[in-house]
Amino acid sequence: MQAWLEHVWYGRRPPPWWLRPLSLLYAGAAGLRRAAYARRWRAAAQMPAPVVIVGNLSVGGTGKTPLVHWLTARLRERGMKPGIVSRGYGGTSTAARLIDAADDPGVIGDETVLLAARTHAPVAVGRDRPAAARLLTDAGCDVIVSDDGLQHYALARDCEIVVVDGERRFGNGWPLPAGPLRESPARLRSADAVVVNGGAAALRGKGGELAGSGTAAAALEGALTMRLDGDCAARVHGGERRPLAAFAGRSVHAVAGIGNPERFFNMLRAHGIEVIGHPLPDHARLRSGDISFEDERPVLMTEKDAVKCRELPAPRHWYVPVTASFEAADSRQLMDVVMRAIEKGRARA
């Protein structure tokens, strides 16, 4: 079903007619929900610490989690104590709780385990994001960074950063379920910063003009450009590291249970690696058969998938950690936006 939907969302043909009325209903409900909070018919929970949302408009991976890691590191460099709040997608836990890197990703979600391991910052998960955020402030965090949650208006925010996939952009432009959008691209205009993952060049046509609908193009003017860098592989069991160049010219199995598996496969190909791709649904629970193959080729996977392989036999298995990076000017601009919002949030509190 997911493969069929993504073919509809990112293909060139219009979505099936019978999905379009459902999309109009979804868009109407989403708009009413946002309006309810904007007009204060429903109250958003204010935190005693500034809240920075890192989210997206579309379903699937756009690079939010690496950006959360990057942002958390920059805030700690400035002497702050950031904490991360997440829904815990892919996990079974529902109650708000603090977690650590040793917790079961099947219970609390793969991305939250990854963030706890990479950032060493306090991480809280829960369907009730305000309750999870309060656990972080009670633990001494002075800034809350939300991994996703742009549409979770019950949590009041001081800064919104929206990440756009520079390759897939907004798909066919339709709301769910006929398209991948949770909200219209016009929503970008109210964000504090828009970050394009994959390069601004991916958003431009042959003549250099910004591609897409007029509304989307206008909203993306001035967007910051982020890239995901990965140049080494780490053994899943044992931690040995090798440069990706060591796999160049070789054929490998590549496993990716993320929102856009092709991004991972293309990154490996850019290092001269011959990829046999094995895309899996985002947040898929891995079994031994998902990562075991009859030949002796190495198996490369994303770091998000690797956290789910602790109990699986993986002697030939490696993961590729990626980090978000910006040009110096874009990095300064983004942090200026975030720091101004944090200062305003502190004044409010």
Side-chain angles (χ1 to χ4, degrees):
M1 176 60 73
Q2 179 174 332
W4 179 80
L5 280 174
E6 291 195 356
H7 178 74
V8 170
W9 293 347
Y10 300 106
R12 296 188 176 183
R13 295 183 177 181
W17 67 267
W18 50 272
L19 282 178
R20 299 177 202 177
L22 298 176
S23 289
L24 296 176
L25 289 172
Y26 177 91
L32 286 173
R33 186 172 183 275
R34 185 177 179 221
Y37 283 99
R39 299 183 181 186
R40 299 186 179 181
W41 297 335
R42 300 184 67 176
Q46 292 280 357
M47 294 295 110
V51 175
V52 180
I53 301 287
V54 179
N56 60 8
L57 300 183
S58 57
V59 174
T62 57
K64 298 184 307 298
T65 300
L67 179 54
V68 168
H69 178 209
W70 181 91
L71 180 58
T72 301
R74 303 292 82 74
L75 293 173
R76 295 180 75 176
E77 289 171 358
R78 287 162 171 77
M80 300 181 206
K81 298 179 181 178
I84 300 170
V85 64
S86 172
R87 165 66 178 79
Y89 289 107
T92 59
S93 178
T94 58
R97 55 178 289 193
L98 293 170
I99 66 100
D100 61 45
D103 283 338
D104 183 355
V107 175
I108 61 168
D110 45 24
E111 288 173 344
T112 49
V113 172
L114 174 58
L115 283 168
R118 289 288 296 270
T119 67
H120 304 291
V123 179
V125 300
R127 290 183 180 177
D128 185 340
R129 289 179 195 263
R134 289 189 190 96
L135 292 177
L136 294 172
T137 57
D138 290 346
C141 297
D142 55 12
V143 180
I144 306 300
V145 180
S146 177
D147 182 19
D148 206 2
L150 183 67
Q151 291 79 28
H152 193 92
Y153 293 109
L155 178 62
R157 67 281 313 268
D158 300 282
C159 183
E160 291 181 337
I161 303 171
V162 181
V163 187
V164 177
D165 186 328
E167 297 174 358
R168 302 199 298 183
R169 288 179 278 169
F170 307 112
N172 59 15
W174 278 81
L176 290 165
L181 295 182
R182 298 167 174 171
E183 293 185 278
S184 163
R187 174 70 170 83
L188 295 176
R189 292 174 173 170
S190 63
D192 297 278
V194 178
V195 173
V196 176
N197 176 20
L203 294 163
R204 297 187 179 273
K206 294 181 180 179
E209 73 281 359
L210 202 60
S213 67
T215 298
L220 286 167
E221 290 285 2
L224 308 176
T225 301
M226 179 182 81
R227 64 181 182 274
L228 299 181
D229 295 330
D231 58 6
C232 71
R235 198 181 291 275
V236 172
H237 292 169
E240 175 193 351
R241 288 182 174 255
R242 292 183 187 176
L244 281 180
F247 298 89
R250 301 173 63 184
S251 176
V252 307
H253 293 283
V255 176
I258 58 177
N260 185 1
E262 280 301 317
R263 178 186 289 120
F264 178 66
F265 301 154
N266 289 335
M267 182 186 70
L268 299 180
R269 293 182 183 113
H271 284 82
I273 301 171
E274 182 181 336
V275 172
I276 303 172
H278 301 275
L280 297 171
D282 197 11
H283 305 291
R285 293 194 177 189
L286 298 185
R287 299 167 298 179
S288 179
D290 295 321
I291 63 171
S292 300
F293 307 97
E294 294 182 357
D295 55 48
E296 296 300 314
R297 292 182 176 90
V299 180
L300 301 183
M301 66 183 67
T302 71
E303 190 173 12
K304 190 170 86 168
D305 292 310
V307 301
K308 297 176 285 190
C309 295
R310 294 168 175 166
E311 307 301 324
L312 300 179
R316 295 182 290 107
H317 296 68
W318 305 75
Y319 68 89
V320 181
V322 297
T323 56
S325 61
F326 295 84
E327 296 296 331
D330 282 0
S331 174
R332 287 193 299 269
Q333 185 175 342
L334 180 57
M335 287 309 302
D336 285 347
V337 168
V338 172
M339 293 306 298
R340 285 196 299 267
I342 288 175
E343 290 303 319
K344 289 182 179 178
R346 286 175 170 171
R348 165 189 53 77

